[in-house]
Amino acid sequence: MKHKFYLIREDVLPYVVQRVLKVKSSLKEDQTLTIQEAVDMHECSRSAFYKYRDTIFPLDELKQRNNSFTLILFVNDKVGILANILEKVSELNLSVLTIHQSVPVNQRASITLSLRMVETSMNIYEVIKALKQIENVYNVDIIGMDI
């Protein structure tokens, strides 16, 4: 059976799935914990833990396995914006795989960047936060990553 995968924000996950993620995190951090102790600590049933434990992973764990991802940046159409973004990408030690910039409409445009992390300890959330701080970038979203 072929599985489909989705990116979903943590705050919209069902409560039980959030609990399972916390249990997994506790077990990873403290290898002396038993599964029963961890599920009790996070008010999660063992059956829910076993049902979801192999089906949900934080993006940080995926980054450890794969390091390519695609972002879409929404920008104000200003001269040099792409250069500023690429300068920041270089400072973050990211490798650019592809770039696509849309034609501006109403002084706004989108830029799609496929990037690869190379010799960096940053996670994808830190990359997004750094790119959002660039002047005239008003939003950054992840639209895909290698799994």
Side-chain angles (χ1 to χ4, degrees):
M1 179 166 118
K2 187 174 180 178
H3 298 285
K4 290 184 178 182
F5 293 88
Y6 302 90
L7 287 175
I8 185 168
R9 283 192 339 258
E10 181 180 30
D11 62 319
V12 296
L13 286 173
Y15 180 78
V16 67
V17 175
Q18 293 178 24
R19 300 285 102 202
V20 169
L21 284 168
K22 290 182 180 196
V23 170
K24 286 178 64 169
S25 178
S26 292
L27 289 169
K28 186 176 180 181
E29 290 174 14
D30 183 355
Q31 296 180 354
T32 64
L33 278 179
T34 66
I35 290 173
Q36 186 63 55
E37 291 169 333
V39 296
D40 288 346
M41 181 186 315
H42 296 290
E43 300 174 358
C44 180
S45 71
R46 284 175 59 96
S47 62
F49 173 74
Y50 284 114
K51 179 177 182 179
Y52 295 113
R53 73 176 178 172
D54 295 326
T55 64
I56 186 154
F57 306 93
L59 282 179
D60 292 344
E61 286 182 21
L62 292 176
K63 180 209 169 235
Q64 293 169 2
R65 291 184 244 162
N66 298 291
N67 58 5
S68 297
F69 55 96
T70 302
L71 300 175
I72 187 164
L73 293 81
F74 298 96
V75 301
N76 296 316
D77 183 32
K78 300 291 182 186
V79 173
I81 185 65
L82 182 58
N84 294 342
I85 291 167
L86 293 177
E87 182 179 343
K88 178 57 78 174
V89 165
S90 178
E91 287 173 15
L92 298 173
N93 206 23
L94 301 170
S95 177
V96 177
L97 303 175
T98 63
I99 302 171
H100 177 270
Q101 183 171 1
S102 70
V103 175
V105 175
N106 296 327
Q107 305 299 311
R108 296 210 168 181
S110 64
I111 300 171
T112 304
L113 295 175
S114 293
L115 304 169
R116 177 176 291 137
M117 292 189 179
V118 183
E119 299 178 19
T120 183
S121 61
M122 294 184 79
N123 66 41
I124 198 161
Y125 304 113
E126 294 167 322
V127 171
I128 290 170
K129 182 179 178 182
L131 293 173
K132 282 182 176 180
Q133 293 174 351
I134 299 170
E135 186 177 355
N136 291 307
V137 172
Y138 63 90
N139 199 14
V140 180
D141 288 319
I142 184 166
I143 58 173
M145 68 186 315
D146 289 344
I147 296 182

